[in-house]
Amino acid sequence: MEGSPSQLALEAVLRPLEFAARDDYAQLDRVVDLAASLEQAADRASHGAVPVELRKAYRAVRDAFRKASKPGAERAAVERALTVLAPFARPEFAREALNQPPSVLPGLGPRRAELLAKRGIRSVEDLLYRLPASYDDRRHLDTIGSLQVGRHATFVARVLGSGFAGWRGRGGRGGRLFEAVVGDETGTVQLKWFRGTEALERTVAKGALLLVTGDVKRYRFSLELQHPEVELLQAEPDEGADPEVPRRIVPRYATPDGLHPRALRRAVAKAVADFSDLVPGRLPDALVQERSLPTPAEALRALHLPDLDADAVALSDARSPGHERLILEELYLLELGLALRRDRQARAPGLALQTQGPRLTAALRGLPFRLTGAQQRVWKEIAGDLARPHPMSRLLEGDVGSGKTVLAYLAAVAVAESGHQTALMAPTELLAEQHYRTLCSLAKGSALRIALLTSSVTTGHAEAIKADLAAGEVDLVVGTQALLQEPVGFRSRGLVVVDEQHRFGVKQRAALRGRETYRPHTLVMTATPIPRTLAMTLHGDLDLSVLDELPPGRQPVQTLLLRAGEGREVVRAIREATARGEQVYVVYPLVEESERLDLRSASESAERIASAFPDLRVDLVHGRLDAEARSAAMGRFERGETQLLVSTTVVEVGVDVPNATLMVIEHAERFGLAQLHQLRGRVGRGKKPGTCLLVARGASEGSEARLAAMLETTDGFTIAEADLRIRGPGEFLGTRQHGRLPDLRIADLLRDRRWLAVARETAHDTVRRDPGLERDPALREAVTLRWGEPLALSEVG
């Protein structure tokens, strides 16, 4: 692992000094040309991108040796140099310097520093790592005649006239703006500023020659630029020949209101000039050499202060060598934290379970269907984990209807056969109830004792279940967050199954694992597939199993999009489905009217639907129904007594009614893509094909993209890729909300997937060679700063 340029330069200066001072300066006379070599080294070091106080220290060292011409004075110079440089040799120096507030930089006083802090920039290091959002390529200038609406342009023009004017906007509000008309030999264009106008009056004066940069817009029948950035090239036309226009690539930063872009650029440039050499590199030397990567300091300089010959397209697309270095640095520390967590989990004591006993054999034979090839493969993976004396930590991804529950059932049988218990936690009571019914159906004829524990279970019944759990009389308990409430005690918990774990918080997931002296096996299930590359990072502490095959006989679901005003098509589809003896879901986003969202109420719609179809039985299910009423309604629908089930998204996952073939989703534009796919998965689960009608009563760019994706494919993994593109990785993965990963400041898990595998492989190799990073305390500290204490991360998953 390479050190920072500043650290290497300091070591080059200190090495001969420390040698000369060894054994009470016994080696001083043996060092040839100490003064000359130290002066050269100090001179080179003082030109690095280091704080002013360190440059002064190097100058003091150089001056001390220049004055050491008298006999015996060299020893005093060495003592002086070591004393001066000692504070900068501390390991904490670089971190303390980089942690200083941005206000230490010229032009960033307390008020501006406060503006930056609101954007998450609280230190010099934060400023260094706030990379440009884009770049202006000012090497090639436009003419006014070539300006196009919607394009970002840079051109040279002379001010033909300028001054203040009033403006009035909608609602009667108005104010004062500063405007100017500028021109070149190809035409004229108007510039406008609605704020910060006083300072412009001196710069944008008649006759001044300006370099103008900004976004071109249309105003009525002409073009204009609002709040362009201007640079004064010449104040008066009679100052002689027009000056040479500076050609350069200029970084563009996301700048908070109240801070001029040029002021921020200058502050960043100063930070690069004074502090970038303090930034250390954490990547292994072999990887740096293999990929010919620049140092972090070189990368920061290349990105913040690009050379004239830089590739502007690569810079803007985050594909430059500088981007690669800094992104790999961040992903490497991210993957190291995950690898440390996984390594600790793999070493923790667990339960080695029996996975080939008679009860399990009987359970496999008693299944009402044959396992698919994918289910057989995943079961071997799960069984292999359960048989080891270390806790299983496995993520099971499977599309809607791929058969994840049966694998949880087989695991629970294996756990019970070994004398232990299983807890399955679902995010909603409806899903917990559905899991309970499915598991009871699978367990018919077996001795597996199953109980349901939710907040809707009566107090007396709940207490009886808790007593049975504590006595070991229950093998598998299915529940919601009620499983986390005290006192829910197990005699011997061997397996925890968490369904749709992204809906639970970090503390909830940790609490379910309990406080046993050993760590129970953990199986996490999700019907919201994540692309494998990202899953291996987001769930880097979990082994990944994928059910990529649907059970035979599953019918394809046809998806159709209807708009407002096409209600007759919905009525016709419902009539045709129910005439065939099939059942229908109608799903609404909300339970009650909301003026803010202007959505139809499910409860009112159920009444209208019942009136429209008086010959059909209509039931309503939503999250506010008590458990008894909800269970009764679902039971009627499952038995075929109800033809139409009007519902909110409580039917999103887990509900399995093979005779339901039509799904009508009202206000489909209000749902997320994953929700739409889950809802669609409720139909076509039997031998008859299913249809999903998406009824959109509004539109936005995002909703149209989601609806288009639903029409293009029924594959959950393709849907997940589309959802990831539409929402972006932060919202899609829920990293911040659910505590899986620290925030990323440079890397983008979607854009930079090509580097994820490199970082992961490198991190795993590092941890294999040095478990716990005991031999590299600096690297361990870097991971700690990024994650918090890395070895405690195993308690978070």
Side-chain angles (χ1 to χ4, degrees):
M1 185 180 72
E2 60 189 322
S4 68
S6 174
Q7 176 189 5
L8 297 175
L10 183 59
E11 288 174 356
V13 176
L14 285 173
R15 199 175 299 115
L17 288 170
E18 291 170 343
F19 179 79
R22 195 179 301 167
D23 300 328
D24 196 24
Y25 294 89
Q27 311 294 331
L28 182 59
D29 294 338
R30 296 178 55 189
V31 182
V32 180
D33 294 328
L34 177 62
S37 62
L38 276 173
E39 184 171 338
Q40 292 175 2
D43 190 56
R44 286 194 301 270
S46 67
H47 286 87
V50 293
V52 173
E53 58 268 25
L54 182 51
R55 293 183 189 175
K56 291 179 179 178
Y58 284 134
R59 285 198 293 270
V61 170
R62 184 184 55 200
D63 293 344
F65 279 94
R66 284 179 178 176
K67 297 174 182 178
S69 55
K70 297 180 180 180
E74 200 168 57
R75 171 170 176 160
V78 172
E79 292 177 342
R80 167 72 174 154
L82 287 172
T83 301
V84 168
L85 295 176
F88 306 103
R90 295 180 304 113
E92 302 83 11
F93 167 70
R95 188 170 72 247
E96 291 171 356
L98 292 170
N99 279 342
Q100 293 180 98
S103 56
V104 302
L105 299 167
L108 293 183
R111 188 182 67 83
R112 287 177 168 176
E114 185 177 341
L115 294 174
L116 291 173
K118 292 179 180 178
R119 293 288 188 96
I121 302 173
R122 297 179 175 83
S123 68
V124 171
E125 184 177 25
D126 290 337
L127 197 60
L128 286 173
Y129 280 95
R130 184 57 61 98
L131 300 184
S134 59
Y135 294 83
D136 286 333
D137 190 350
R138 299 184 185 176
R139 295 172 298 185
H140 312 288
L141 301 178
D142 300 292
T143 61
I144 291 177
S146 67
L147 298 181
Q148 297 180 33
V149 175
R151 298 287 298 272
H152 195 76
T154 299
F155 55 91
V156 174
R158 197 170 290 279
V159 180
L160 305 178
S162 64
F164 290 96
W167 66 275
R168 187 169 299 280
R170 293 178 181 177
R173 296 181 60 187
R176 196 167 73 144
L177 66 85
F178 185 78
E179 59 184 353
V181 176
V182 299
D184 63 9
E185 63 275 9
T186 68
T188 62
V189 69
Q190 194 167 32
L191 313 180
K192 292 181 179 178
W193 293 267
F194 295 89
R195 57 183 181 273
T197 55
E198 285 71 18
L200 287 165
E201 188 176 11
R202 296 187 297 273
T203 302
V204 188
K206 185 175 181 179
L209 188 68
L210 305 176
L211 181 66
V212 182
T213 301
D215 296 319
V216 182
K217 299 183 178 182
R218 182 174 299 283
Y219 178 70
R220 294 180 178 173
F221 301 106
S222 61
L223 302 182
E224 69 177 23
L225 283 79
Q226 293 184 8
H227 298 280
E229 186 177 337
V230 295
E231 182 177 340
L232 181 63
L233 300 177
Q234 188 182 63
E236 298 287 346
D238 56 1
E239 289 183 358
D242 288 349
E244 184 176 346
V245 179
R247 311 275 175 151
R248 56 184 181 266
I249 301 175
V250 178
R252 298 176 67 192
Y253 300 93
T255 308
D257 290 341
L259 181 59
H260 195 280
R262 189 179 297 118
L264 182 58
R265 280 204 307 271
R266 287 172 178 166
V268 173
K270 183 64 173 172
V272 171
D274 284 1
F275 293 93
S276 62
D277 273 6
L278 296 179
V279 178
R282 302 302 184 190
L283 295 177
D285 295 337
L287 180 65
V288 172
Q289 294 167 9
E290 174 191 339
R291 303 183 73 89
S292 301
L293 298 174
T295 66
E298 291 168 343
L300 289 167
R301 284 194 287 272
L303 298 180
H304 288 298
L305 308 171
D307 294 332
L308 267 178
D309 58 352
D311 184 340
V313 175
L315 286 172
S316 295
D317 293 343
R319 293 187 289 105
S320 71
H323 284 101
E324 181 179 2
R325 174 63 199 245
L326 297 182
I327 289 168
L328 276 175
E329 285 275 338
E330 184 166 44
L331 293 178
Y332 177 59
L333 294 179
L334 173 72
E335 296 289 350
L336 273 177
L338 291 167
L340 286 170
R341 181 161 70 183
R342 182 177 183 141
D343 185 61
R344 169 154 179 178
Q345 289 175 175
R347 296 167 186 269
L351 297 170
L353 304 178
Q354 174 61 256
T355 58
Q356 294 182 340
R359 289 181 65 179
L360 184 59
T361 302
L364 283 164
R365 289 176 179 169
L367 292 176
F369 48 79
R370 288 182 56 123
L371 295 180
T372 65
Q375 286 173 323
Q376 293 177 37
R377 183 191 72 244
V378 172
W379 170 243
K380 288 180 181 178
E381 294 169 349
I382 293 172
D385 286 349
L386 295 176
R388 285 192 285 270
H390 300 289
M392 171 177 71
S393 295
R394 185 165 291 276
L395 170 66
L396 175 55
E397 280 192 359
D399 204 348
V400 177
S402 58
K404 297 178 293 296
T405 305
V406 70
L407 296 172
Y409 162 68
L410 294 175
V413 173
V415 170
E417 187 149 35
S418 300
H420 304 284
Q421 298 163 289
T422 297
L424 190 157
M425 186 166 75
T428 67
E429 289 195 357
L430 187 67
L431 183 52
E433 292 161 4
Q434 177 65 41
H435 274 312
Y436 176 69
R437 288 191 293 268
T438 301
L439 290 165
C440 287
S441 176
L442 290 171
K444 281 180 181 177
S446 77
L448 193 70
R449 298 165 296 184
I450 307 174
L452 175 67
L453 183 59
T454 67
S455 57
S456 295
V457 173
T458 61
T459 302
H461 190 196
E463 291 302 319
I465 293 173
K466 293 175 184 177
D468 287 344
L469 273 173
E473 298 297 323
V474 171
D475 298 314
L476 168 59
V477 61
V478 182
T480 56
Q481 296 183 40
L483 293 178
L484 307 178
Q485 297 170 1
E486 296 290 350
V488 178
F490 292 74
R491 184 179 64 81
S492 179
R493 179 163 30 188
L495 172 65
V496 171
V497 181
V498 183
D499 195 19
E500 298 298 332
Q501 78 144 6
H502 61 281
R503 300 189 181 196
F504 296 103
V506 172
K507 293 180 179 178
Q508 291 172 316
R509 295 194 300 266
L512 187 61
R513 286 197 297 264
R515 298 176 177 83
E516 288 90 349
T517 55
Y518 58 87
R519 180 166 178 163
H521 298 285
T522 303
L523 178 64
V524 174
M525 303 193 304
T526 180
T528 306
I530 301 167
R532 177 176 286 272
T533 309
L534 297 183
M536 293 177 70
T537 292
L538 179 64
H539 302 287
D541 54 324
L542 304 175
D543 294 307
L544 179 64
S545 291
V546 178
L547 284 175
D548 50 8
E549 178 184 359
L550 292 178
R554 284 297 301 271
Q555 299 296 315
V557 178
Q558 181 185 25
T559 306
L560 301 174
L561 176 61
L562 300 177
R563 301 289 183 178
E566 296 186 89
R568 290 183 180 179
E569 291 298 316
V570 177
V571 172
R572 183 184 59 80
I574 293 174
R575 279 290 180 200
E576 290 178 354
T578 54
R580 294 190 299 266
E582 298 161 9
Q583 293 165 276
V584 180
Y585 295 102
V586 180
V587 178
Y588 287 85
L590 293 180
V591 176
E592 298 175 349
E593 283 290 343
S594 167
E595 291 181 0
R596 183 174 63 86
L597 295 177
D598 192 29
L599 297 179
R600 295 186 176 184
S601 156
S603 54
E604 291 183 0
S605 297
E607 295 175 4
R608 287 197 299 270
I609 290 171
S611 299
F613 299 97
D615 55 324
L616 302 178
R617 179 160 186 175
V618 180
D619 256 336
L620 172 65
V621 172
H622 54 74
R624 298 183 187 179
L625 281 181
D626 61 60
E628 185 176 350
R630 185 172 62 244
S631 180
M634 290 304 304
R636 288 191 294 271
F637 192 67
E638 290 172 354
R639 292 189 299 271
E641 299 170 9
T642 299
Q643 290 77 44
L644 261 164
L645 183 67
V646 180
S647 170
T648 60
T649 52
V650 292
V651 300
E652 179 185 338
V653 291
V655 178
D656 189 0
V657 180
N659 193 48
T661 61
L662 177 62
M663 168 66 71
V664 180
I665 305 177
E666 281 282 353
H667 289 283
E669 77 281 359
R670 300 286 189 183
F671 292 87
L673 187 50
Q675 274 187 314
L676 291 173
H677 180 62
Q678 292 279 8
L679 288 168
R680 177 170 60 184
R682 297 307 104 210
V683 295
R685 300 179 73 86
K687 296 180 180 180
K688 302 174 184 178
T691 301
C692 179
L693 297 183
L694 305 173
V695 184
R697 301 186 181 277
S700 66
E701 183 178 348
S703 69
E704 289 300 308
R706 293 192 296 273
L707 296 173
M710 285 289 291
L711 296 177
E712 289 171 5
T713 181
T714 58
D715 179 75
F717 291 91
T718 306
I719 288 285
E721 290 275 4
D723 201 10
L724 184 56
R725 288 194 302 272
I726 294 167
R727 286 199 283 164
E731 185 183 348
F732 174 86
L733 300 175
T735 53
R736 178 174 299 176
Q737 297 92 324
H738 300 291
R740 298 293 313 176
L741 303 177
D743 291 335
L744 298 172
R745 12 182 223 192
I746 296 177
D748 181 304
L749 292 179
L750 176 60
R751 182 195 65 199
D752 302 323
R753 279 188 284 177
R754 62 191 179 280
W755 290 321
L756 264 178
V758 175
R760 184 185 311 112
E761 182 180 345
T762 305
H764 286 186
D765 182 63
T766 299
V767 173
R768 278 193 300 270
R769 289 184 288 103
D770 183 13
L773 304 181
E774 300 297 337
R775 298 199 301 269
D776 196 339
L779 182 58
R780 180 184 172 90
E781 181 186 32
V783 177
T784 300
L785 289 172
R786 195 79 189 93
W787 277 93
E789 175 53 44
L791 295 185
L793 292 174
S794 60
E795 305 307 320
V796 176

